[in-house]
Amino acid sequence: MKRNDWFLAAGILAAAAILLCFQMFRKTGDQAVVSITVDGDLYGTYSLDEDRIVEINDTNRLEIRGGYARMEWADCPDQVCVNHQGISRDGESIICLPNQVVVSIENGESSGVDGIAR
Amino acid sequence: MIPRRRPVLSGKGKRLKNRAAYFGVLTALTLIFSYVETLIPVNLGIPGAKLGLANLVIVIVLYKTDFKEALLLSVTRVVLAGFIFGNLFSILYSLAGAVFSLMVMNVLKTKKTLSVIGVSIAGGASHNLGQLIIAAIVVETYQVGYYLPFLLIAGVITGALIGITSREVLKRVRDVRF
């Protein structure tokens, strides 16, 4: 293993760590909302504080409980979104690629440029 | 490495036969690795994070032959494995990752500043990056960027494992002559 290999690995890991820090320091706001988009179009926004179950187009079922949103059921074969842990922080998301459903936490107040998106 | 034989006209048929035989064996090998991978459930809570065992064959072929062969093998594998073990979506994502990572690996390999391990690490990370970019385009959202750090770390780890294995295999395997 050459020295450059270590530099490369360290470089990528450092970049990942920096991105991770950005995400960690973004906390849930007071008015956090769960935003659901299907195929890029907004399906609906729901308050994270209210416990409820959202049916998304007969393909997915989202459960909001105790300040966490998690995908309870999906009709896709891989079930990646169902196995995903609950989300609560601003910017976190559950994505169901087969159904093109994106569930994300957004702070109702900060609708500016997203740190991850740059 | 022994320079590859370029047989003259009379050997052209033989060369094609060899090439077809090697290609068949290698395709079968990548498919077996893809199958073995489905037997090992790795659920780290990161969607799309896999060991990428089949990439071991791709890396070795890239080093033993050339970019064209590796690309052909990689695309064949992704399409076949996608139809057998996945779905149309997984083919799309895998294809983006596979082609992107192969291009990155090829460039880094030609520069010769990195060993197989480094090239493989870059390949692992760029594989995941390529998939994520396609995912972002398909779902039309930048939210998939949330997975980027996890996928980069996963790519470095799997890339390193594949790279270390590749180095050991490359030391021992005979030249594949196409």
Side-chain angles (χ1 to χ4, degrees):
Chain A
M1 202 162 173
K2 288 188 192 173
R3 195 148 52 114
N4 283 336
D5 294 350
W6 290 105
F7 284 142
L8 179 79
I12 298 172
L13 290 178
I18 290 167
L19 285 168
L20 208 58
C21 286
F22 264 111
Q23 292 173 4
M24 285 298 187
F25 286 120
R26 288 143 48 87
K27 291 186 188 81
T28 316
D30 297 330
Q31 294 168 306
V33 289
V34 182
S35 151
I36 301 169
T37 61
V38 180
D39 205 1
D41 301 319
L42 191 66
Y43 181 84
T45 51
Y46 307 89
S47 170
L48 194 59
D49 303 325
E50 267 175 62
D51 291 2
R52 64 179 297 172
I53 284 170
V54 186
E55 293 277 353
I56 310 165
N57 286 344
D58 297 331
T59 57
N60 296 66
R61 193 187 303 133
L62 185 82
E63 185 191 37
I64 302 171
R65 196 177 62 195
Y68 279 87
R70 55 176 289 269
M71 198 65 84
E72 194 181 58
W73 171 83
D75 67 350
C76 59
D78 55 17
Q79 299 288 307
V80 164
C81 55
V82 178
N83 291 326
H84 197 289
Q85 60 190 12
I87 54 172
S88 64
R89 274 201 214 91
D90 188 23
E92 277 189 311
S93 57
I94 299 176
I95 293 157
C96 180
L97 283 177
N99 297 332
Q100 307 198 0
V101 171
V102 178
V103 178
S104 55
I105 306 289
E106 280 168 21
N107 187 343
E109 288 168 343
S110 63
S111 56
V113 179
D114 194 278
I116 311 167
R118 286 176 302 170
Chain B
M1 193 169 140
I2 304 159
R4 269 182 295 137
R5 278 184 204 155
R6 290 276 179 207
V8 281
L9 266 173
S10 58
K12 208 181 174 188
K14 195 185 172 195
R15 189 173 164 262
L16 187 66
K17 234 170 21 184
N18 277 342
R19 189 165 173 260
Y22 267 124
F23 198 79
V25 170
L26 291 170
T27 309
L29 198 58
T30 56
L31 281 177
I32 289 167
F33 276 129
S34 297
Y35 173 64
V36 167
E37 205 166 60
T38 61
L39 298 178
I40 313 168
V42 190
N43 195 354
L44 305 168
I46 313 164
K50 283 195 295 187
L51 194 48
L53 276 176
N55 293 323
L56 177 61
V57 183
I58 306 292
V59 171
I60 290 165
V61 167
L62 179 67
Y63 267 80
K64 282 293 182 188
T65 64
D66 57 7
F67 176 67
K68 259 163 49 191
E69 298 295 337
L71 184 67
L72 191 60
L73 185 66
S74 188
V75 171
T76 314
R77 175 195 79 84
V78 167
V79 172
L80 287 177
F83 275 118
I84 301 171
F85 310 113
N87 49 46
L88 219 55
F89 272 102
S90 62
I91 293 179
L92 186 64
Y93 301 129
S94 302
L95 212 53
V99 172
F100 183 52
S101 93
L102 200 56
M103 289 194 303
V104 168
M105 287 200 289
N106 189 45
V107 169
L108 292 176
K109 184 201 139 196
T110 348
K111 286 198 165 179
K112 290 182 195 297
T113 46
L114 297 168
S115 77
V116 199
I117 300 171
V119 169
S120 178
I121 288 172
S126 56
H127 193 285
N128 291 345
L129 188 64
Q131 279 189 326
L132 206 66
I133 291 168
I134 289 297
I137 294 168
V138 170
V139 206
E140 291 177 34
T141 176
Y142 54 78
Q143 292 288 0
V144 288
Y146 179 76
Y147 297 117
L148 186 58
F150 304 104
L151 283 172
L152 282 178
I153 295 166
V156 168
I157 295 166
T158 58
L161 290 174
I162 295 295
I164 292 164
T165 320
S166 297
R167 186 186 61 180
E168 296 307 311
V169 173
L170 283 169
K171 266 191 226 164
R172 290 164 176 82
V173 83
R174 271 199 310 165
D175 267 0
V176 180
R177 289 198 199 92
F178 271 2

